[in-house]
Amino acid sequence: MNPAVEAAVAAEQKSAEVTDWAARIGWVVGLLLFIAFVYWLMRQGWKWRGSLQSDLPELPTAPAEPGEAKLASTGRYHGSTTAGQWLDRIVAHGLGTRSRAELTLTDAGLVVVRPGAQDFFVPVAALREARLDKGIAGKVLAEGGLLIVTWAHGDKLIDSGFRSDHAAEQSTWVDTLNDMIKTTEGTAR
């Protein structure tokens, strides 16, 4: 092909320069406003869900002397849901906030320390079940990737999801928690 023809074809393929900056800026501003509006709607939905769950009592705090630690672990807290309904997230009292977590199991119950979020305590009498599962509201992992602890709070059963930094520990947690629950139920009768 002739070099002059190639140069002409290449010049034709070159995109035109942007000359209508006002329209471009208008589209960008419009898109940013739309994104801000969607974010605002999501925040309003979160606040609305919290107001629907306002009947949930305040979270218990750990006793001054919870006792000697049976198990301790660090990892992530992935949220809490209504027991058996893994998509019904509970947001009241900060239970919907994901965070790092330090779990400590004592004879008194389960202490959950969350930097940057509200800590809480699950008394041993409130513990109902522990199991390994694959998901909880907004977080899905491989089968058995999450430690789910079911506990009673007020008149509601709650599933709380944790992921240990050392996944091999999670089955030990399940066994120990379920043994404690059986022992507690046996002495309560």
Side-chain angles (χ1 to χ4, degrees):
M1 196 179 248
N2 184 346
V5 173
E6 286 180 11
V9 170
E12 287 179 19
Q13 291 178 350
K14 182 179 171 185
S15 61
E17 289 193 30
V18 177
T19 55
D20 191 5
W21 284 103
R24 296 278 177 151
I25 291 172
W27 276 105
V28 169
V29 168
L31 181 62
L32 292 175
L33 286 173
F34 177 74
I35 290 170
F37 178 68
V38 168
Y39 177 76
W40 179 80
L41 285 176
M42 289 172 30
R43 180 147 172 80
Q44 292 301 107
W46 188 269
K47 287 168 62 176
W48 175 72
R49 181 175 281 276
S51 68
L52 287 177
Q53 298 166 349
S54 63
D55 62 335
L56 196 66
E58 282 295 320
L59 296 174
T61 57
E65 292 295 323
E68 186 177 331
K70 290 183 170 198
L71 287 175
S73 180
T74 59
R76 299 219 32 100
Y77 168 79
H78 287 287
S80 292
T81 62
T82 302
Q85 299 178 14
W86 73 286
L87 291 176
D88 186 20
R89 183 186 297 268
I90 296 175
V91 300
H93 308 299
L95 286 175
T97 306
R98 290 184 180 175
S99 62
R100 293 283 306 155
E102 297 172 13
L103 301 179
T104 306
L105 183 63
T106 68
D107 286 329
L110 180 65
V111 179
V112 182
V113 177
R114 301 185 305 151
Q118 184 178 355
D119 301 341
F120 63 95
F121 173 71
V122 181
V124 71
L127 291 169
R128 297 294 183 260
E129 176 193 19
R131 69 182 187 279
L132 294 178
D133 211 332
K134 64 179 178 180
I136 196 161
K139 185 65 174 181
V140 178
L141 298 168
E143 189 66 43
L146 282 175
L147 168 65
I148 306 294
V149 178
T150 303
W151 53 290
H153 185 56
D155 61 348
K156 188 172 220 140
L157 281 179
I158 298 174
D159 283 343
S160 293
F162 304 94
R163 172 110 172 127
S164 176
D165 287 337
H166 308 286
E169 296 177 348
Q170 293 185 156
S171 59
T172 305
W173 274 87
V174 170
D175 295 339
T176 306
L177 279 164
N178 285 329
D179 288 345
M180 277 183 75
I181 293 164
K182 286 177 189 170
T183 303
T184 304
E185 287 175 351
T187 58
R189 291 179 189 180

Short mmCIF file of all heavy atoms in Angstrom, two decimals, residues 31-87:
data_model
loop_
_atom_site.label_atom_id
_atom_site.label_comp_id
_atom_site.label_asym_id
_atom_site.label_seq_id
_atom_site.Cartn_x
_atom_site.Cartn_y
_atom_site.Cartn_z
N LEU A 31 -23.75 11.86 36.91
CA LEU A 31 -23.41 10.52 37.38
C LEU A 31 -23.02 10.54 38.85
O LEU A 31 -23.45 9.68 39.63
CB LEU A 31 -22.27 9.93 36.53
CG LEU A 31 -21.82 8.52 36.90
CD1 LEU A 31 -22.97 7.53 36.70
CD2 LEU A 31 -20.63 8.13 36.06
N LEU A 32 -22.22 11.52 39.26
CA LEU A 32 -21.83 11.63 40.66
C LEU A 32 -23.04 11.89 41.56
O LEU A 32 -23.14 11.32 42.66
CB LEU A 32 -20.78 12.72 40.85
CG LEU A 32 -19.40 12.43 40.25
CD1 LEU A 32 -18.49 13.65 40.38
CD2 LEU A 32 -18.78 11.20 40.88
N LEU A 33 -23.96 12.71 41.11
CA LEU A 33 -25.19 12.96 41.88
C LEU A 33 -26.04 11.69 41.99
O LEU A 33 -26.59 11.40 43.05
CB LEU A 33 -26.01 14.09 41.25
CG LEU A 33 -25.46 15.49 41.44
CD1 LEU A 33 -26.28 16.49 40.62
CD2 LEU A 33 -25.45 15.87 42.91
N PHE A 34 -26.11 10.93 40.92
CA PHE A 34 -26.85 9.67 40.95
C PHE A 34 -26.23 8.69 41.95
O PHE A 34 -26.93 8.06 42.74
CB PHE A 34 -26.90 9.05 39.55
CG PHE A 34 -27.58 7.72 39.52
CD1 PHE A 34 -28.96 7.63 39.62
CD2 PHE A 34 -26.85 6.55 39.39
CE1 PHE A 34 -29.61 6.40 39.61
CE2 PHE A 34 -27.47 5.32 39.37
CZ PHE A 34 -28.86 5.24 39.48
N ILE A 35 -24.91 8.58 41.94
CA ILE A 35 -24.21 7.69 42.88
C ILE A 35 -24.45 8.15 44.31
O ILE A 35 -24.72 7.33 45.21
CB ILE A 35 -22.71 7.61 42.54
CG1 ILE A 35 -22.51 6.85 41.23
CG2 ILE A 35 -21.92 6.95 43.66
CD1 ILE A 35 -21.10 6.93 40.68
N ALA A 36 -24.39 9.45 44.56
CA ALA A 36 -24.64 9.98 45.90
C ALA A 36 -26.07 9.69 46.34
O ALA A 36 -26.32 9.34 47.50
CB ALA A 36 -24.36 11.48 45.94
N PHE A 37 -27.03 9.80 45.43
CA PHE A 37 -28.43 9.52 45.74
C PHE A 37 -28.63 8.04 46.10
O PHE A 37 -29.31 7.72 47.06
CB PHE A 37 -29.32 9.91 44.55
CG PHE A 37 -30.77 9.61 44.75
CD1 PHE A 37 -31.52 10.32 45.69
CD2 PHE A 37 -31.40 8.63 44.01
CE1 PHE A 37 -32.85 10.04 45.88
CE2 PHE A 37 -32.74 8.34 44.20
CZ PHE A 37 -33.48 9.05 45.14
N VAL A 38 -28.01 7.15 45.34
CA VAL A 38 -28.12 5.71 45.63
C VAL A 38 -27.50 5.41 46.99
O VAL A 38 -28.06 4.66 47.79
CB VAL A 38 -27.47 4.88 44.51
CG1 VAL A 38 -27.32 3.43 44.91
CG2 VAL A 38 -28.28 4.99 43.22
N TYR A 39 -26.35 6.02 47.28
CA TYR A 39 -25.71 5.83 48.59
C TYR A 39 -26.63 6.33 49.70
O TYR A 39 -26.78 5.68 50.74
CB TYR A 39 -24.37 6.56 48.63
CG TYR A 39 -23.68 6.46 49.97
CD1 TYR A 39 -23.04 5.31 50.37
CD2 TYR A 39 -23.69 7.54 50.86
CE1 TYR A 39 -22.42 5.21 51.59
CE2 TYR A 39 -23.09 7.45 52.08
CZ TYR A 39 -22.45 6.28 52.45
OH TYR A 39 -21.86 6.20 53.67
N TRP A 40 -27.25 7.48 49.52
CA TRP A 40 -28.16 8.03 50.51
C TRP A 40 -29.34 7.09 50.73
O TRP A 40 -29.76 6.86 51.87
CB TRP A 40 -28.65 9.42 50.06
CG TRP A 40 -29.62 10.04 51.00
CD1 TRP A 40 -29.34 10.69 52.16
CD2 TRP A 40 -31.04 10.06 50.86
NE1 TRP A 40 -30.50 11.12 52.75
CE2 TRP A 40 -31.56 10.75 51.97
CE3 TRP A 40 -31.92 9.58 49.90
CZ2 TRP A 40 -32.92 10.95 52.15
CZ3 TRP A 40 -33.27 9.78 50.08
CH2 TRP A 40 -33.76 10.46 51.19
N LEU A 41 -29.89 6.52 49.64
CA LEU A 41 -31.00 5.56 49.78
C LEU A 41 -30.57 4.32 50.57
O LEU A 41 -31.33 3.82 51.41
CB LEU A 41 -31.53 5.15 48.40
CG LEU A 41 -32.39 6.16 47.66
CD1 LEU A 41 -32.74 5.62 46.28
CD2 LEU A 41 -33.65 6.48 48.44
N MET A 42 -29.37 3.82 50.31
CA MET A 42 -28.88 2.66 51.05
C MET A 42 -28.74 2.99 52.54
O MET A 42 -29.11 2.19 53.40
CB MET A 42 -27.53 2.20 50.48
CG MET A 42 -27.66 1.56 49.11
SD MET A 42 -26.12 1.18 48.24
CE MET A 42 -24.94 0.87 49.46
N ARG A 43 -28.24 4.16 52.84
CA ARG A 43 -28.09 4.58 54.25
C ARG A 43 -29.45 4.71 54.92
O ARG A 43 -29.62 4.31 56.06
CB ARG A 43 -27.32 5.89 54.30
CG ARG A 43 -27.13 6.42 55.69
CD ARG A 43 -25.81 7.15 55.81
NE ARG A 43 -25.67 7.82 57.07
CZ ARG A 43 -25.32 7.22 58.20
NH1 ARG A 43 -25.10 5.94 58.22
NH2 ARG A 43 -25.20 7.91 59.31
N GLN A 44 -30.42 5.26 54.19
CA GLN A 44 -31.78 5.39 54.76
C GLN A 44 -32.37 4.00 55.03
O GLN A 44 -33.04 3.79 56.04
CB GLN A 44 -32.69 6.17 53.81
CG GLN A 44 -32.33 7.64 53.68
CD GLN A 44 -32.36 8.36 55.02
OE1 GLN A 44 -31.32 8.69 55.57
NE2 GLN A 44 -33.53 8.59 55.54
N GLY A 45 -32.12 3.05 54.15
CA GLY A 45 -32.60 1.68 54.35
C GLY A 45 -31.97 1.05 55.57
O GLY A 45 -32.63 0.35 56.34
N TRP A 46 -30.67 1.30 55.78
CA TRP A 46 -29.97 0.77 56.96
C TRP A 46 -30.57 1.36 58.23
O TRP A 46 -30.83 0.66 59.21
CB TRP A 46 -28.50 1.13 56.83
CG TRP A 46 -27.60 0.52 57.86
CD1 TRP A 46 -27.25 1.05 59.06
CD2 TRP A 46 -26.93 -0.74 57.78
NE1 TRP A 46 -26.40 0.22 59.72
CE2 TRP A 46 -26.18 -0.90 58.96
CE3 TRP A 46 -26.89 -1.74 56.82
CZ2 TRP A 46 -25.41 -2.02 59.21
CZ3 TRP A 46 -26.12 -2.85 57.07
CH2 TRP A 46 -25.39 -2.99 58.26
N LYS A 47 -30.82 2.68 58.22
CA LYS A 47 -31.41 3.34 59.40
C LYS A 47 -32.83 2.85 59.63
O LYS A 47 -33.25 2.65 60.78
CB LYS A 47 -31.38 4.87 59.20
CG LYS A 47 -29.98 5.44 59.32
CD LYS A 47 -29.87 6.87 58.86
CE LYS A 47 -30.69 7.84 59.63
NZ LYS A 47 -30.48 9.22 59.20
N TRP A 48 -33.59 2.63 58.57
CA TRP A 48 -34.96 2.14 58.69
C TRP A 48 -34.95 0.74 59.31
O TRP A 48 -35.74 0.44 60.20
CB TRP A 48 -35.62 2.13 57.32
CG TRP A 48 -36.99 1.54 57.30
CD1 TRP A 48 -38.13 2.08 57.83
CD2 TRP A 48 -37.38 0.29 56.74
NE1 TRP A 48 -39.20 1.24 57.61
CE2 TRP A 48 -38.76 0.13 56.95
CE3 TRP A 48 -36.69 -0.71 56.07
CZ2 TRP A 48 -39.45 -0.98 56.52
CZ3 TRP A 48 -37.39 -1.81 55.64
CH2 TRP A 48 -38.75 -1.94 55.87
N ARG A 49 -34.05 -0.12 58.85
CA ARG A 49 -33.93 -1.47 59.41
C ARG A 49 -33.60 -1.39 60.90
O ARG A 49 -34.12 -2.13 61.72
CB ARG A 49 -32.88 -2.27 58.66
CG ARG A 49 -32.71 -3.69 59.17
CD ARG A 49 -31.74 -4.46 58.31
NE ARG A 49 -32.34 -4.92 57.08
CZ ARG A 49 -33.05 -6.04 56.97
NH1 ARG A 49 -33.27 -6.78 58.02
NH2 ARG A 49 -33.54 -6.40 55.82
N GLY A 50 -32.71 -0.49 61.27
CA GLY A 50 -32.36 -0.30 62.68
C GLY A 50 -33.54 0.13 63.51
O GLY A 50 -33.74 -0.33 64.64
N SER A 51 -34.38 1.01 62.95
CA SER A 51 -35.57 1.46 63.71
C SER A 51 -36.59 0.34 63.83
O SER A 51 -37.29 0.24 64.84
CB SER A 51 -36.19 2.70 63.06
OG SER A 51 -36.74 2.38 61.81
N LEU A 52 -36.68 -0.55 62.83
CA LEU A 52 -37.58 -1.70 62.94
C LEU A 52 -37.13 -2.67 64.02
O LEU A 52 -37.94 -3.38 64.61
CB LEU A 52 -37.67 -2.44 61.61
CG LEU A 52 -38.44 -1.78 60.48
CD1 LEU A 52 -38.37 -2.63 59.22
CD2 LEU A 52 -39.88 -1.56 60.88
N GLN A 53 -35.82 -2.70 64.27
CA GLN A 53 -35.26 -3.61 65.27
C GLN A 53 -35.01 -2.93 66.61
O GLN A 53 -34.29 -3.44 67.45
CB GLN A 53 -33.96 -4.21 64.73
CG GLN A 53 -34.14 -5.01 63.48
CD GLN A 53 -32.84 -5.31 62.77
OE1 GLN A 53 -31.78 -4.77 63.09
NE2 GLN A 53 -32.91 -6.20 61.78
N SER A 54 -35.65 -1.79 66.83
CA SER A 54 -35.41 -1.03 68.05
C SER A 54 -35.92 -1.73 69.30
O SER A 54 -35.56 -1.37 70.41
CB SER A 54 -36.03 0.37 67.94
OG SER A 54 -37.44 0.25 67.81
N ASP A 55 -36.76 -2.76 69.14
CA ASP A 55 -37.25 -3.50 70.31
C ASP A 55 -36.20 -4.45 70.88
O ASP A 55 -36.38 -5.00 71.95
CB ASP A 55 -38.52 -4.27 69.95
CG ASP A 55 -38.28 -5.32 68.87
OD1 ASP A 55 -37.33 -5.16 68.07
OD2 ASP A 55 -39.05 -6.30 68.81
N LEU A 56 -35.10 -4.62 70.18
CA LEU A 56 -34.02 -5.50 70.65
C LEU A 56 -33.35 -4.83 71.84
O LEU A 56 -32.93 -3.68 71.77
CB LEU A 56 -33.01 -5.71 69.52
CG LEU A 56 -32.03 -6.84 69.67
CD1 LEU A 56 -32.76 -8.19 69.63
CD2 LEU A 56 -31.02 -6.81 68.55
N PRO A 57 -33.24 -5.53 72.99
CA PRO A 57 -32.63 -4.92 74.17
C PRO A 57 -31.15 -4.59 73.95
O PRO A 57 -30.52 -5.10 73.03
CB PRO A 57 -32.77 -5.99 75.26
CG PRO A 57 -33.53 -7.11 74.67
CD PRO A 57 -33.67 -6.89 73.21
N GLU A 58 -30.62 -3.75 74.84
CA GLU A 58 -29.19 -3.42 74.78
C GLU A 58 -28.37 -4.69 74.90
O GLU A 58 -28.78 -5.64 75.56
CB GLU A 58 -28.81 -2.47 75.92
CG GLU A 58 -29.21 -1.04 75.69
CD GLU A 58 -28.47 -0.40 74.52
OE1 GLU A 58 -27.26 -0.63 74.35
OE2 GLU A 58 -29.13 0.35 73.78
N LEU A 59 -27.21 -4.69 74.27
CA LEU A 59 -26.34 -5.87 74.32
C LEU A 59 -25.70 -5.97 75.71
O LEU A 59 -25.28 -4.96 76.28
CB LEU A 59 -25.24 -5.75 73.26
CG LEU A 59 -25.72 -5.75 71.83
CD1 LEU A 59 -24.56 -5.48 70.89
CD2 LEU A 59 -26.37 -7.06 71.49
N PRO A 60 -25.61 -7.19 76.23
CA PRO A 60 -24.96 -7.35 77.53
C PRO A 60 -23.45 -7.11 77.41
O PRO A 60 -22.85 -7.35 76.36
CB PRO A 60 -25.25 -8.80 77.92
CG PRO A 60 -25.75 -9.47 76.70
CD PRO A 60 -26.15 -8.43 75.71
N THR A 61 -22.87 -6.62 78.48
CA THR A 61 -21.42 -6.42 78.53
C THR A 61 -20.81 -7.52 79.38
O THR A 61 -21.47 -8.11 80.23
CB THR A 61 -21.05 -5.04 79.11
OG1 THR A 61 -21.63 -4.93 80.40
CG2 THR A 61 -21.56 -3.92 78.22
N ALA A 62 -19.56 -7.78 79.14
CA ALA A 62 -18.86 -8.85 79.86
C ALA A 62 -18.75 -8.50 81.34
O ALA A 62 -18.56 -7.34 81.69
CB ALA A 62 -17.48 -9.07 79.26
N PRO A 63 -18.86 -9.50 82.20
CA PRO A 63 -18.66 -9.24 83.63
C PRO A 63 -17.22 -8.81 83.90
O PRO A 63 -16.32 -9.09 83.10
CB PRO A 63 -18.99 -10.58 84.29
CG PRO A 63 -18.89 -11.60 83.21
CD PRO A 63 -19.15 -10.90 81.92
N ALA A 64 -17.02 -8.13 85.03
CA ALA A 64 -15.68 -7.65 85.37
C ALA A 64 -14.70 -8.81 85.46
O ALA A 64 -13.54 -8.69 85.05
CB ALA A 64 -15.72 -6.88 86.68
N GLU A 65 -15.13 -9.93 85.98
CA GLU A 65 -14.29 -11.13 86.09
C GLU A 65 -14.98 -12.28 85.35
O GLU A 65 -15.71 -13.06 85.95
CB GLU A 65 -14.08 -11.50 87.56
CG GLU A 65 -13.24 -10.50 88.33
CD GLU A 65 -11.82 -10.42 87.82
OE1 GLU A 65 -11.25 -11.46 87.44
OE2 GLU A 65 -11.27 -9.30 87.79
N PRO A 66 -14.78 -12.39 84.04
CA PRO A 66 -15.48 -13.44 83.29
C PRO A 66 -14.95 -14.85 83.55
O PRO A 66 -15.57 -15.83 83.19
CB PRO A 66 -15.27 -13.04 81.83
CG PRO A 66 -14.03 -12.22 81.84
CD PRO A 66 -13.96 -11.56 83.18
N GLY A 67 -13.79 -14.95 84.18
CA GLY A 67 -13.21 -16.26 84.46
C GLY A 67 -12.08 -16.57 83.50
O GLY A 67 -11.73 -15.79 82.61
N GLU A 68 -11.52 -17.76 83.69
CA GLU A 68 -10.39 -18.19 82.89
C GLU A 68 -10.85 -18.55 81.47
O GLU A 68 -11.90 -19.16 81.28
CB GLU A 68 -9.75 -19.42 83.54
CG GLU A 68 -8.48 -19.87 82.85
CD GLU A 68 -7.83 -21.03 83.56
OE1 GLU A 68 -8.00 -21.15 84.79
OE2 GLU A 68 -7.18 -21.82 82.87
N ALA A 69 -10.05 -18.20 80.50
CA ALA A 69 -10.38 -18.46 79.09
C ALA A 69 -10.24 -19.94 78.77
O ALA A 69 -9.20 -20.54 79.03
CB ALA A 69 -9.50 -17.63 78.19
N LYS A 70 -11.31 -20.52 78.22
CA LYS A 70 -11.25 -21.90 77.72
C LYS A 70 -10.70 -21.91 76.30
O LYS A 70 -9.94 -22.79 75.93
CB LYS A 70 -12.64 -22.52 77.72
CG LYS A 70 -13.19 -22.79 79.08
CD LYS A 70 -14.55 -23.47 78.94
CE LYS A 70 -14.99 -23.97 80.29
NZ LYS A 70 -16.04 -24.96 80.17
N LEU A 71 -11.15 -20.93 75.52
CA LEU A 71 -10.70 -20.76 74.13
C LEU A 71 -10.56 -19.27 73.86
O LEU A 71 -11.32 -18.47 74.39
CB LEU A 71 -11.70 -21.34 73.14
CG LEU A 71 -11.84 -22.84 73.01
CD1 LEU A 71 -12.98 -23.18 72.07
CD2 LEU A 71 -10.56 -23.46 72.50
N ALA A 72 -9.63 -18.93 73.00
CA ALA A 72 -9.48 -17.54 72.55
C ALA A 72 -9.06 -17.57 71.08
O ALA A 72 -8.33 -18.47 70.66
CB ALA A 72 -8.44 -16.81 73.38
N SER A 73 -9.57 -16.62 70.34
CA SER A 73 -9.28 -16.59 68.92
C SER A 73 -9.43 -15.17 68.39
O SER A 73 -10.18 -14.36 68.94
CB SER A 73 -10.26 -17.51 68.18
OG SER A 73 -10.00 -17.51 66.80
N THR A 74 -8.72 -14.87 67.32
CA THR A 74 -8.89 -13.60 66.63
C THR A 74 -9.38 -13.90 65.22
O THR A 74 -9.16 -14.99 64.69
CB THR A 74 -7.56 -12.81 66.54
OG1 THR A 74 -6.60 -13.62 65.85
CG2 THR A 74 -7.04 -12.45 67.92
N GLY A 75 -10.04 -12.93 64.64
CA GLY A 75 -10.55 -13.12 63.29
C GLY A 75 -11.44 -11.96 62.89
O GLY A 75 -11.19 -10.82 63.25
N ARG A 76 -12.51 -12.29 62.17
CA ARG A 76 -13.46 -11.27 61.69
C ARG A 76 -14.86 -11.62 62.15
O ARG A 76 -15.27 -12.77 62.13
CB ARG A 76 -13.44 -11.18 60.17
CG ARG A 76 -12.08 -10.79 59.66
CD ARG A 76 -12.02 -9.86 58.51
NE ARG A 76 -13.01 -8.87 58.32
CZ ARG A 76 -12.87 -7.58 58.67
NH1 ARG A 76 -11.80 -7.19 59.28
NH2 ARG A 76 -13.80 -6.71 58.40
N TYR A 77 -15.58 -10.57 62.54
CA TYR A 77 -17.00 -10.68 62.85
C TYR A 77 -17.72 -10.25 61.57
O TYR A 77 -17.48 -9.15 61.07
CB TYR A 77 -17.35 -9.77 64.03
CG TYR A 77 -18.81 -9.59 64.25
CD1 TYR A 77 -19.57 -10.57 64.88
CD2 TYR A 77 -19.47 -8.44 63.82
CE1 TYR A 77 -20.93 -10.40 65.09
CE2 TYR A 77 -20.82 -8.26 64.02
CZ TYR A 77 -21.54 -9.24 64.66
OH TYR A 77 -22.89 -9.08 64.87
N HIS A 78 -18.60 -11.11 61.04
CA HIS A 78 -19.25 -10.80 59.77
C HIS A 78 -20.69 -10.34 59.90
O HIS A 78 -21.33 -10.06 58.90
CB HIS A 78 -19.16 -12.00 58.82
CG HIS A 78 -17.79 -12.20 58.28
ND1 HIS A 78 -17.24 -11.37 57.34
CD2 HIS A 78 -16.83 -13.09 58.58
CE1 HIS A 78 -16.01 -11.76 57.06
NE2 HIS A 78 -15.74 -12.80 57.81
N GLY A 79 -21.21 -10.29 61.11
CA GLY A 79 -22.56 -9.78 61.30
C GLY A 79 -23.45 -10.79 61.99
O GLY A 79 -23.06 -11.92 62.25
N SER A 80 -24.65 -10.32 62.27
CA SER A 80 -25.65 -11.15 62.93
C SER A 80 -26.96 -11.09 62.15
O SER A 80 -27.28 -10.08 61.54
CB SER A 80 -25.89 -10.67 64.37
OG SER A 80 -24.74 -10.90 65.16
N THR A 81 -27.68 -12.21 62.19
CA THR A 81 -28.97 -12.30 61.51
C THR A 81 -29.98 -12.94 62.45
O THR A 81 -29.61 -13.51 63.48
CB THR A 81 -28.88 -13.17 60.24
OG1 THR A 81 -28.50 -14.50 60.61
CG2 THR A 81 -27.88 -12.61 59.24
N THR A 82 -31.24 -12.87 62.08
CA THR A 82 -32.25 -13.62 62.79
C THR A 82 -31.95 -15.10 62.56
O THR A 82 -31.66 -15.51 61.44
CB THR A 82 -33.66 -13.28 62.24
OG1 THR A 82 -33.85 -11.86 62.37
CG2 THR A 82 -34.73 -14.02 62.97
N ALA A 83 -31.98 -15.89 63.63
CA ALA A 83 -31.59 -17.30 63.55
C ALA A 83 -32.39 -18.02 62.47
O ALA A 83 -33.62 -17.88 62.39
CB ALA A 83 -31.78 -17.98 64.89
N GLY A 84 -31.68 -18.77 61.63
CA GLY A 84 -32.31 -19.55 60.58
C GLY A 84 -32.63 -18.76 59.32
O GLY A 84 -33.04 -19.33 58.32
N GLN A 85 -32.44 -17.44 59.35
CA GLN A 85 -32.73 -16.60 58.19
C GLN A 85 -31.45 -15.85 57.84
O GLN A 85 -31.27 -14.69 58.19
CB GLN A 85 -33.87 -15.64 58.50
CG GLN A 85 -35.15 -16.36 58.84
CD GLN A 85 -36.26 -15.40 59.20
OE1 GLN A 85 -36.19 -14.20 58.96
NE2 GLN A 85 -37.31 -15.93 59.78
N TRP A 86 -30.57 -16.50 57.12
CA TRP A 86 -29.22 -15.99 56.91
C TRP A 86 -29.13 -14.70 56.11
O TRP A 86 -28.06 -14.10 56.01
CB TRP A 86 -28.32 -17.08 56.33
CG TRP A 86 -28.56 -17.43 54.90
CD1 TRP A 86 -29.59 -18.15 54.40
CD2 TRP A 86 -27.74 -17.09 53.80
NE1 TRP A 86 -29.47 -18.28 53.05
CE2 TRP A 86 -28.33 -17.64 52.65
CE3 TRP A 86 -26.55 -16.38 53.67
CZ2 TRP A 86 -27.78 -17.49 51.39
CZ3 TRP A 86 -26.01 -16.24 52.41
CH2 TRP A 86 -26.62 -16.79 51.29
N LEU A 87 -30.22 -14.20 55.57
CA LEU A 87 -30.19 -12.93 54.85
C LEU A 87 -30.86 -11.79 55.63
O LEU A 87 -30.83 -10.65 55.18
CB LEU A 87 -30.86 -13.07 53.48
CG LEU A 87 -30.08 -13.92 52.48
CD1 LEU A 87 -30.87 -14.07 51.19
CD2 LEU A 87 -28.72 -13.34 52.20
#
